Amino acid sequence: MSRVYVEDLARHIGETVTIRGWLYNKRSSGKIKFPVMRDGTGLLQGVLVKGTVPDEVLERFEELTQESSFAMTGKIRVEPRAPGGHEMDVSDIAIIQIAKDYPITPKEHGVEFLMDRRHLWLRSSRQHAILRIRHQVIKAIREFFDGKGFLLLDAPIFTPAACEGTSTLFETDYFDLGKAYLTQSGQLYGEAGAMAFGKVYVFGPTFRAEKSKTRRHLTEFWMVEPEVAFNDLNDDMDLAEEFLEYIVQSVLKNRAAELKTLERNTTMLENVRRPLPRITYDEAVELLRKSGVDFTWGNDLGGADETVVSQHFDRPVMVHRYPSEIKAFYMKRDPQNPKVALAVDVLAPEGYGEIIGGSQREDDLELLLARLHEHKLPQEAFDWYLDLRRFGSVPHAGFGLGIERTVSWICGLEHLREAIPFPRLIYRLTP
Ligand code: 4AD
Ligand code: MG
């Protein structure tokens, strides 16, 4: 017999099937007993009526505790009022293991209590909804780039140098070769890929020793980074807005039930349609001052500033041409105004802040060397990267989208720690 899952029950109406899973809940009403099983794909309520099933089956029902594993056999009926829309008339129960004192009960628990038991918390319906949306986001990302003929280029995690500044590097000993650093971004390798394949995307975990205990910072997070030869900043923004629209619309279309479980108001998500507004950093500063924020030109936008800027728009907003001083060494300066870099950040609405950071890259060898020195970065470690400017350098651009920031925004989470199965934060390394 082939295995049957709860999510496929519509194809098994009237059949007798066995489902294996865990006890989610149970209740009794006189002679009728209702075990609710979760099998990972959905919930199924069983119905046992005293007198119509053998007494030992009822005894096994009584033995079941929350999260005990068991198999339930019976005939499937349509039942619109039941969770999932089906019910099983149970004829047999087989216990696999009895769980004693499962720590996460239906009552309210604090987040730290739940985070300490993250390995168990993943079984709850809210975490299911979030992680299914995360899966959909990743699926949409792959569909989008694969559909446009991008090559997936896997960048290394051990690297010899910083990509996004030295302050947040995790370092480790690396045999006789000295220090290695966990990658902060696969971008530099993505650029090599773009020169080799024209258009690529790097997708993987990235690491930052972020000292900030904010709701938007993880020390390990996933980032997808497209990089395209011959793209300038405008092309980069065109790609970013089309990409974001694709991801959000894909979640709305395919994960409506999960968004409902999360009680997410989807109005702002439905607005994520091209074109997205584009403003310069200078215009963002003006907006901030108009909103009463005392902001000095040249500073980076903090989380609170991003919220104020984005409140002026009904969808994500792209802020471009930031002061070059506050941006990474590889960003090209605007030939019209070298004080600003050809950079763009995409700010999500509803206070979620930056979800994408990108730029056109410095493609001139001499200027790039000057930037390396200004940033006090060791030239030897970047020698291979400089080769990309020595051998057929072309204008190119790319960006990075943080998966957890995106999932957190789409799901309407308070903190991005729930947007990844096992979060790594400055004060959390377990489970
Ligand atoms: O703006 P960032 O630092 O850009 C880069 O790393 C570039 N190399 C990307 C590129 O052009 N290829 O990071 C990009 C995105 C941010 O917008 C944010 O969504 C996410 O990565 N991010 C973080 N997410 C969670 N925790 C952190 N500590 C993050 N730091 C950045
Ligand atoms: Mg950034």
Side-chain angles (χ1 to χ4, degrees):
M1 203 174 86
S2 69
R3 196 168 295 180
V4 177
Y5 288 99
V6 170
E7 67 180 355
D8 301 323
L9 285 179
R11 284 190 265 122
H12 297 277
I13 311 295
E15 289 174 24
T16 294
V17 300
T18 297
I19 313 259
R20 286 180 282 184
W22 300 263
L23 189 80
Y24 188 72
N25 214 335
K26 70 176 185 182
R27 62 195 173 88
S28 300
S29 166
K31 286 180 158 187
I32 316 178
K33 315 282 173 193
F34 302 97
V36 181
M37 172 184 270
R38 55 164 204 92
D39 78 337
T41 73
L43 294 177
L44 174 64
Q45 176 161 286
V47 182
L48 291 95
V49 182
K50 198 173 174 176
T52 69
V53 290
D55 281 351
E56 59 270 26
V57 176
L58 287 171
E59 279 159 28
R60 282 180 229 137
F61 167 84
E62 297 301 340
E63 246 189 276
L64 288 174
T65 53
Q66 191 190 349
E67 288 302 320
S68 288
S69 47
F70 68 110
M72 189 162 87
T73 301
K75 203 168 179 178
I76 299 299
R77 278 186 286 109
V78 173
E79 175 49 75
R81 286 167 305 175
H86 302 101
E87 240 172 28
M88 174 187 271
D89 289 320
V90 178
S91 49
D92 198 11
I93 283 176
I95 291 173
I96 301 170
Q97 194 249 343
I98 293 295
K100 279 206 192 81
D101 303 326
Y102 185 67
I104 303 175
T105 55
K107 70 163 197 197
E108 288 267 322
H109 295 285
V111 176
E112 288 308 316
F113 177 93
L114 292 167
M115 271 298 164
D116 286 340
R117 291 156 189 81
R118 183 67 173 163
H119 50 294
L120 302 175
W121 191 20
L122 294 179
R123 303 178 185 194
S124 79
S125 55
R126 177 180 159 84
Q127 300 311 313
H128 265 227
I130 296 168
L131 293 182
R132 283 187 195 284
I133 288 171
R134 178 186 170 102
H135 181 179
Q136 188 68 40
V137 166
I138 292 171
K139 189 170 165 188
I141 287 169
R142 293 197 180 280
E143 275 170 11
F144 180 83
F145 288 124
D146 294 349
K148 287 183 175 298
F150 282 58
L151 181 100
L152 173 68
L153 188 101
D154 300 309
I157 286 174
F158 286 133
T159 59
C163 176
E164 294 300 319
T166 50
S167 67
T168 61
L169 280 176
F170 278 109
E171 94 179 21
T172 179
D173 291 326
Y174 199 82
F175 305 106
D176 295 337
L177 298 180
K179 297 284 180 211
Y181 305 96
L182 298 188
T183 187
Q184 298 164 311
S185 154
Q187 179 196 318
L188 306 187
Y189 299 94
E191 289 184 52
M195 298 305 128
F197 295 94
K199 44 189 177 176
V200 300
Y201 65 108
V202 176
F203 197 174
T206 49
F207 305 85
R208 299 202 188 168
E210 298 276 9
K211 304 268 167 13
S212 29
K213 287 189 193 174
T214 77
R215 60 193 192 90
R216 331 179 172 185
H217 289 95
L218 293 166
T219 55
E220 174 177 333
F221 63 97
W222 283 67
M223 182 159 46
V224 59
E225 299 179 89
E227 191 71 33
V228 184
F230 304 107
N231 266 11
D232 63 13
L233 180 64
N234 277 330
D235 301 324
D236 206 35
M237 292 196 274
D238 290 347
L239 184 66
E241 67 181 4
E242 188 184 351
F243 178 54
L244 217 47
E245 175 184 278
Y246 188 86
I247 294 173
V248 173
Q249 296 305 325
S250 168
V251 172
L252 285 170
K253 185 166 156 228
N254 298 292
R255 292 289 168 216
E258 284 77 6
L259 289 167
K260 200 158 165 234
T261 300
L262 298 171
E263 296 173 9
R264 178 70 165 118
N265 176 345
T266 56
T267 315
M268 284 296 228
L269 298 176
E270 277 147 30
N271 286 346
V272 185
R273 292 283 186 193
R274 279 175 288 170
L276 299 184
R278 297 178 187 190
I279 61 170
T280 61
Y281 170 89
D282 287 6
E283 289 167 326
V285 171
E286 254 173 68
L287 278 182
L288 282 170
R289 288 179 181 157
K290 258 199 263 167
S291 310
V293 181
D294 180 18
F295 191 89
T296 312
W297 194 98
N299 285 351
D300 205 355
L301 301 184
D305 305 319
E306 290 177 347
T307 301
V308 174
V309 171
S310 65
Q311 270 162 359
H312 290 86
F313 303 93
D314 70 346
R315 60 196 69 196
V317 53
M318 307 205 211
V319 181
H320 58 91
R321 291 181 167 76
Y322 281 75
S324 18
E325 293 271 309
I326 54 167
K327 287 294 188 186
F329 77 94
Y330 53 72
M331 292 188 181
K332 191 178 178 66
R333 297 197 174 175
D334 187 349
Q336 312 294 319
N337 173 14
K339 276 191 159 7
V340 299
L342 295 173
V344 60
D345 278 3
V346 182
L347 311 182
E350 302 168 274
Y352 283 90
E354 181 198 335
I355 50 172
I356 287 182
S359 68
Q360 186 173 333
R361 320 308 188 186
E362 183 50 73
D363 50 345
D364 179 89
L365 178 62
E366 294 309 319
L367 291 176
L368 188 55
L369 272 169
R371 293 293 101 75
L372 273 178
H373 294 141
E374 276 167 32
H375 285 256
K376 299 199 170 56
L377 293 166
Q379 194 185 317
E380 323 78 67
F382 291 91
D383 214 41
W384 69 267
Y385 180 65
L386 294 168
D387 270 355
L388 305 175
R389 276 63 175 174
R390 292 186 183 109
F391 305 111
S393 188
V394 301
H396 61 289
F399 60 80
L401 168 123
I403 303 303
E404 292 75 19
R405 294 249 184 113
T406 305
V407 170
S408 191
W409 160 53
I410 292 177
C411 293
L413 308 181
E414 254 172 47
H415 192 301
L416 86 176
R417 66 191 154 202
E418 279 183 86
I420 185 165
F422 295 97
R424 296 293 174 247
L425 300 150
I426 182 170
Y427 53 87
R428 177 169 296 282
L429 190 56
T430 52

